Amino acid sequence: MYKLTTLLSAFVLLFSMQYVSSQSFEETNIPDLTTTLSASRSANFIDVNGDGWDDIFFSNGPYGSQDNMLYINEKDGSFDTITTDDIVSDNSRSDGTSFADVDNDGDLDAYVVTYGFGGSGNPNLFYRNDGDGSFTYEPDNALGLVNSYSEMGTWVDINNDQYLDMYFTNSYLNLNNSYFENQGDGSFLEIDNLSITDDNLATRSVDWIDYDNDGDSDLFLTNENNAKNSLFRNDGPDNFVQIDDISIVEGNNNSAGSSWADVDNDGDFDLFVANWEGQNNQLFINNGGVFTEQLSSIIASGGGSSFGSSFGDMDNDGDLDLFVCNAYFTGQTKNFVYINDGQGNFSQDNSSDLANHAGNTFGCAFGDYDHDGWLDIILANTFSENQANSLFHNTGEGNNWVKLICKGTISNFSAVGAKVRLRSTINGEEVWQTRKITASSGYCSQNSYTVHVGLGDANNIDEIEVQWPSGLTENFDDIAINKMYVIIEEGGITLSSGNAVKQEKIRTYPNPVQSNFMLEGELSNSISEISLSIFNLQGKEVKTIKSISLDGNYVKESIDVSDLNSGIYLYSLRNGKKQLYAGKIIKE
């Protein structure tokens, strides 16, 4: 028996060592991006200019004199530093950041929450994308009129009207968390009579996740000051019920962040909670809405002081690994890297360059910045509030992968809230993997919108299922590996060229316009009728054309705007309630 036990232990150790060594990262040295000293908070992998390549954004705090940082992907391994845009001229105590297409015009807008000072809150910052990756700050937008001590905000379509709403947390002065409803015309309205806005704990992070697998987005909040975390079940439009009798909200901890993922590939979402000030982190396995805390997991040992976290398949073997950021604790100068065995059991990597990166890290995000099919990672560093950020390039090889870009039409264009499931045969076994598209990840940060799935030795994808926020479910089969695809709601699946994904092939010219502009292009499907609405930047509808001429699925019509004052306007092309295309015109 002793010999058998020893042999089994040796086998497990050998297997674990092989597993840990199967992922590898190398730290890059990119001027400005990895050399500028700062006190960074949020790390975001996002495609701000719509060229199909992820750019990088870091927010900075806690000093008001620090601006945020945006780096544009040059597609050759280098990044261009943006120095003059509104979004890098904030001069504020910026914290969590979430990018999404909030006006459904085909580009990513941004919301940066800020942290107050000396008992006075700061206004949060809303930036509208101008369509080319430049941003315009809107100080009069309702989202920026609330003074707050905010930690994190994220976009989600709570009322399922196709437009993304904003929920953000506060952690000081007994300030409640806030919810702003998108009015669909560029404006937002604060809604403060819901159970999800009654919570005035010191809330750090926010996750919208379908914890009970009923097809909607529930709300999970982490709270510090040794308070219980909060869970609100979504029971329909504007009806949230607080749940306090399951294990994930029963403990008292100093929780800073959380990440949800299907770590055991059983179709539901499991939970990691990041605790700080030396408290152990937590892993909860979800079994049909019943959560079991994994007290013996390596993840739940070793103390630390954790903030950001993110799940990603670092080694492309068909399961989700975990990266955890550590900061602000004496003697804690390294982050945690955990490798999944496919069943939700984790081994800690202590030998790779990524695991031995020294300093303090606040936020992190996964994304494939060089389109090689392997997840890279960015770190928002803040040792002594004066540390350069990091970009680690994934040098893995051998395993297969697929990448999916999902775009909503009935749902919001960013597809926030969509659930993607994928079936393939890995190591001779049928495996279902599940992902959810969200506008934030872990604490403060944001993974790439491009859904990445590792496939191990699979030589084909048997099935892809997309459950859209609208309630529509679409299935695609017999998909090739090691490629990137675009999936458009009700528009099918196609190979991606690596370029921007647009809603429809519509042109607006001339733009800027003096009196008339031409709306021309081809719709993806033939429809019976379309209408056009034009809004000013205050959200007021200033012009409506109820019927636009159609020739099959081709649109060509001159739009008279001579009666409009000079300025910037947004327009929406619709078939009934379904938005087909949105854009911006400049009236001279």
Side-chain angles (χ1 to χ4, degrees):
M1 179 63 72
Y2 173 78
K3 289 183 179 180
L4 178 59
T5 303
T6 303
L7 286 172
L8 286 172
S9 298
F11 174 78
V12 171
L13 177 62
L14 178 61
F15 180 83
S16 174
M17 290 174 62
Q18 289 178 331
Y19 219 86
V20 168
S21 63
S22 63
Q23 55 87 26
S24 58
F25 290 84
E26 62 180 11
E27 189 165 11
T28 64
N29 182 12
I30 298 176
D32 292 347
L33 197 157
T34 64
T35 60
T36 302
L37 300 179
S38 59
S40 291
R41 294 297 188 261
S42 178
N44 302 69
F45 257 127
I46 29 79
D47 179 12
V48 299
N49 57 1
D51 64 355
W53 293 71
D54 278 332
D55 311 300
I56 293 173
F57 177 86
F58 292 110
S59 72
N60 286 311
Y63 306 113
S65 60
Q66 288 193 348
D67 289 328
N68 297 323
M69 299 184 291
L70 176 62
Y71 304 95
I72 301 300
N73 195 331
E74 293 294 291
K75 310 176 189 178
D76 58 2
S78 66
F79 288 80
D80 180 38
T81 304
I82 302 302
T83 59
T84 59
D85 195 84
D86 281 4
I87 204 169
V88 294
S89 306
D90 58 290
N91 195 34
S92 189
R93 291 159 56 86
S94 298
D95 213 336
T97 303
S98 180
F99 288 79
D101 187 356
V102 303
D103 45 16
N104 289 328
D105 65 349
D107 51 48
L108 296 179
D109 311 293
Y111 192 58
V112 183
V113 302
T114 67
Y115 200 74
F117 181 76
S120 298
N122 280 348
N124 293 332
L125 310 169
F126 176 68
Y127 298 95
R128 199 174 302 271
N129 196 321
D130 296 328
D132 57 0
S134 62
F135 293 85
T136 298
Y137 172 46
E138 296 186 4
D140 296 327
N141 193 295
L143 287 171
L145 297 179
V146 177
N147 288 335
S148 67
Y149 271 83
S150 295
E151 297 278 355
M152 180 177 173
T154 192
W155 299 102
V156 63
D157 186 4
I158 295 179
N159 55 2
N160 206 20
D161 64 352
Q162 192 188 27
Y163 288 97
L164 290 169
D165 312 300
M166 168 53 61
Y167 186 92
F168 64 83
T169 66
N170 287 296
S171 66
Y172 190 59
L173 296 180
N174 292 320
L175 291 172
N176 287 14
N177 300 324
S178 296
Y179 162 50
F180 283 78
E181 188 177 86
N182 192 332
Q183 300 302 290
D185 56 9
S187 68
F188 293 84
L189 176 67
E190 184 172 13
I191 308 296
D192 59 7
N193 60 349
L194 304 179
S195 60
I196 59 175
T197 59
D198 285 342
D199 209 344
N200 64 355
L201 298 170
T203 304
R204 285 280 195 161
S205 74
V206 50
D207 282 298
W208 289 95
I209 190 71
D210 185 9
Y211 85 95
D212 52 3
N213 243 354
D214 66 350
D216 54 27
S217 292
D218 311 296
L219 176 63
F220 181 78
L221 305 171
T222 61
N223 302 309
E224 58 184 355
N225 295 339
N226 289 310
K228 292 178 170 62
N229 293 324
S230 305
L231 175 66
F232 295 87
R233 187 183 65 221
N234 190 338
D235 282 355
D238 294 338
N239 184 16
F240 290 88
V241 176
Q242 186 162 12
I243 306 299
D244 57 11
D245 60 351
I246 62 177
S247 59
I248 61 174
V249 291
E250 289 180 340
N252 293 78
N253 291 291
N254 245 357
S255 297
S258 59
S259 289
W260 292 76
D262 183 10
V263 302
D264 50 3
N265 288 336
D266 67 346
D268 51 29
F269 295 103
D270 312 294
L271 169 64
F272 168 79
V273 177
N275 298 315
W276 66 297
E277 287 192 328
Q279 296 181 356
N280 286 340
N281 296 323
Q282 297 168 283
L283 176 66
F284 297 88
I285 296 298
N286 186 353
N287 186 11
V290 177
F291 290 84
T292 302
E293 186 170 3
Q294 306 299 293
L295 295 173
S296 61
S297 172
I298 187 68
I299 289 174
S301 65
S305 188
S306 300
F307 292 87
S309 59
S310 189
F311 285 101
D313 193 348
M314 302 184 204
D315 45 19
N316 278 353
D317 64 348
D319 54 57
L320 289 167
D321 311 300
L322 175 65
F323 183 87
V324 180
C325 309
N326 290 311
Y328 303 121
F329 195 66
T330 302
Q332 183 66 59
T333 59
K334 293 181 182 178
N335 300 310
F336 297 146
V337 180
Y338 300 106
I339 306 302
N340 193 344
D341 70 352
Q343 305 299 316
N345 305 308
F346 291 84
S347 302
Q348 187 169 358
D349 169 12
N350 293 307
S351 60
S352 71
D353 288 347
L354 180 60
N356 283 288
H357 169 263
N360 281 179
T361 302
F362 212 67
C364 64
F366 284 112
D368 180 14
Y369 78 92
D370 56 352
H371 277 324
D372 65 354
W374 292 77
L375 284 179
D376 312 299
I377 189 169
I378 51 175
L379 311 182
N381 297 322
T382 185
F383 185 73
S384 296
E385 307 296 358
N386 194 39
Q387 183 182 1
N389 296 317
S390 302
L391 167 60
F392 281 84
H393 177 243
N394 193 329
T395 59
E397 57 184 13
N399 285 337
N400 298 316
W401 51 272
V402 70
K403 298 197 300 182
L404 307 170
I405 300 173
C406 296
K407 294 297 180 184
T409 54
I410 307 173
S411 307
N412 66 88
F413 189 50
S414 293
V416 171
K419 189 184 299 183
V420 180
R421 303 187 69 226
L422 186 149
R423 178 169 59 89
S424 58
T425 301
I426 302 175
N427 295 327
E429 299 289 335
E430 181 181 273
V431 177
W432 275 100
Q433 298 187 64
T434 306
R435 306 286 190 268
K436 186 170 184 180
I437 299 175
T438 61
S440 61
S441 59
Y443 173 49
C444 282
S445 299
Q446 184 172 17
N447 291 333
S448 170
Y449 272 113
T450 301
V451 176
H452 170 273
V453 182
L455 297 171
D457 64 353
N459 55 25
N460 192 56
I461 299 167
D462 300 318
E463 183 179 0
I464 296 174
E465 177 184 274
V466 182
Q467 299 173 17
W468 299 95
S470 64
L472 175 69
T473 296
E474 295 184 294
N475 296 82
F476 312 94
D477 56 21
D478 196 22
I479 306 298
I481 59 174
N482 297 338
K483 298 181 184 299
M484 184 163 69
Y485 295 89
V486 176
I487 302 177
I488 297 178
E489 188 176 15
E490 289 194 323
I493 183 171
T494 58
L495 274 173
S496 170
S497 63
N499 297 320
V501 181
K502 300 298 183 185
Q503 292 162 290
E504 301 286 352
K505 298 177 181 178
I506 302 294
R507 293 188 301 137
T508 305
Y509 63 91
N511 194 6
V513 55
Q514 291 183 342
S515 57
N516 289 66
F517 71 88
M518 185 68 69
L519 196 70
E520 181 177 8
E522 186 176 8
L523 302 174
S524 57
N525 295 295
S526 295
I527 53 180
S528 58
E529 60 180 25
I530 56 175
S531 62
L532 179 75
S533 295
I534 299 178
F535 304 88
N536 62 23
L537 291 184
Q538 287 71 48
K540 181 180 179 181
E541 188 171 359
V542 295
K543 197 176 191 71
T544 301
I545 300 175
K546 293 184 178 181
S547 180
I548 300 290
S549 299
L550 286 166
D551 182 6
N553 62 340
Y554 198 81
V555 180
K556 187 174 183 180
E557 182 149 330
S558 178
I559 308 297
D560 182 5
V561 291
S562 59
D563 55 332
L564 298 184
N565 296 326
S566 298
I568 300 174
Y569 296 86
L570 304 175
Y571 66 87
S572 176
L573 190 65
R574 291 178 171 270
N575 171 225
K577 292 184 178 180
K578 178 181 176 182
Q579 180 165 278
L580 303 172
Y581 190 81
K584 178 176 66 178
I585 58 170
I586 300 174
K587 172 66 165 53
E588 292 183 329

